Amino acid sequence: MSFEVPATAYDQFMGRFATPLAALFAELIGVRTGQSALDVGCGPGALTEQLAARLGASAVAAIDPSRSFVEAIRERLPEVDVRCGAAEQLPFADDSFDLAVAQLVVHFMADPVAGISEMARVTRPGGVVAACVWDQVPGGGPLGPFWQAAHDVDPDVADESGRAGTREGQLIVIFQEAGLQQVQPAQLTVNVEMASFAGWWEPFTMGVGPAGKYVESLGAQRRNALRDRCAELLPDEPFAIEASAWAAVGRA
C-alpha cells in the first residue's frame, strides 16, 4: 500500500507514535556500530533516522513505495541510499545487509510472506530480520480509540484488525513461513502525551492511511458524529495514549 500524502502529514498523524517506537525497536534489534541496515517500508524515516544515528547514514539503505516519503528522506538524510519500491521486490543483491527491518509496514504488504522472504534474501546468513506492527485488538495500538468510535457510529466500518501481523503471534507465523530461523516475539509499548483533543483529532483529517481515508469518505454530519464519539471515549485533556506493537526478530 502506497501512502501518497505529504511526509509532514504522515509525521503529524503517525510520526508522533512511530518516532518513540523506532527507538525501542532499534534497542530490541541490537543495532550496533559496524553493521549495515535496510529499512523496508521506511515511510518518512522514523526508523531510518534511528539507524543512521547508530550506524552512520552511509551504512543505511531504505525503500518505500511512496515517492513523497522517499523524497523526504533524501532531503533529511542525503547520505542514505533511499529508493522507491515495494518490499516484495527489493532492488538489492543477495546477502547485502547485516540487518533488514520493517516498522509498521508488514500489514500493508501485498504479500507479507513474500516481503519478509525478500528481506531474508538481502540479509547475510546469520543476520537479523525484524518487523513490528501495531496491536489492533481494542485498546492496543494508537488508533484504538478512533476505530472504537468508528464502530460505534458505523458498525459496518472496515478497520485494520484483519490485516496481517496485527494480532499476537501472527508475525511469528509469517516469519516462520518465510524461512527465518530462531524467531523470537516481543511487544513494544510507547506512551505519547496529547495536549488537547483537537491536536489528537486533526491529523485524522489529513487523509493518511485507512483511518484518514475513512474520515475523508464521510459527509460533514457523519464526520462530526465520529469526532464527537472520539471525544466521549478519550480522557479529559491533556491525556496520554498508550500504544503497543507486536514484534518479531529472526535470523536469515
Side-chain angles (χ1 to χ4, degrees):
M1 179 178 181
S2 176
F3 284 65
E4 293 303 340
V5 296
T8 52
Y10 184 92
D11 285 338
Q12 292 179 66
F13 176 71
M14 190 53 66
R16 52 191 172 169
F17 300 100
T19 297
L21 179 66
L24 295 179
F25 192 33
E27 288 294 326
L28 174 70
I29 299 163
V31 178
R32 62 184 186 275
T33 303
Q35 294 175 318
S36 59
L38 171 65
D39 184 3
V40 176
C42 56
L47 181 57
T48 315
E49 289 181 348
Q50 278 287 330
L51 296 172
R54 294 164 186 252
L55 303 177
S58 62
V60 178
I63 187 167
D64 196 276
S66 299
R67 294 189 180 278
S68 59
F69 294 169
V70 169
E71 291 303 321
I73 294 182
R74 286 174 176 165
E75 290 182 9
R76 296 172 184 176
L77 300 166
E79 293 182 44
V80 170
D81 176 9
V82 58
R83 308 185 191 186
C84 192
E88 295 85 354
Q89 293 182 312
L90 296 176
F92 301 99
D94 295 359
D95 308 335
S96 294
F97 303 97
D98 299 305
L99 311 169
V101 295
Q103 175 171 290
L104 307 180
V105 68
V106 170
H107 56 316
F108 292 124
M109 291 180 182
D111 185 336
V113 173
I116 299 299
S117 296
E118 273 288 273
M119 291 171 63
R121 178 186 65 78
V122 302
T123 303
R124 297 185 180 103
V128 171
V129 176
C132 64
V133 173
W134 290 125
D135 181 5
Q136 291 292 345
V137 301
L143 305 184
F146 173 86
W147 287 120
Q148 182 180 340
H151 277 289
D152 289 345
V153 301
D154 180 4
D156 296 325
V157 66
D159 60 22
E160 298 176 52
S161 62
R163 291 181 176 271
T166 61
R167 299 297 180 114
E168 184 176 8
Q170 290 180 342
L171 278 178
I172 303 303
V173 173
I174 292 169
F175 270 51
Q176 291 171 339
E177 290 181 353
L180 290 164
Q181 306 297 314
Q182 303 175 37
V183 182
Q184 297 295 321
Q187 189 174 29
L188 306 171
T189 301
V190 299
N191 280 277
V192 178
E193 297 290 332
M194 298 290 167
S196 68
F197 173 77
W200 175 87
W201 168 257
E202 183 180 1
F204 285 95
T205 68
M206 297 177 178
V208 182
K213 295 301 182 186
Y214 175 67
V215 173
E216 279 190 333
S217 75
L218 300 176
Q221 184 175 357
R222 293 178 67 197
R223 184 181 298 193
N224 289 339
L226 173 60
R227 183 184 186 279
D228 291 346
R229 182 56 181 151
C230 286
E232 292 172 354
L233 291 173
L234 288 166
D236 293 338
E237 55 190 35
F239 57 90
I241 297 291
E242 182 177 276
S244 293
W246 301 114
V249 182
R251 296 281 177 177

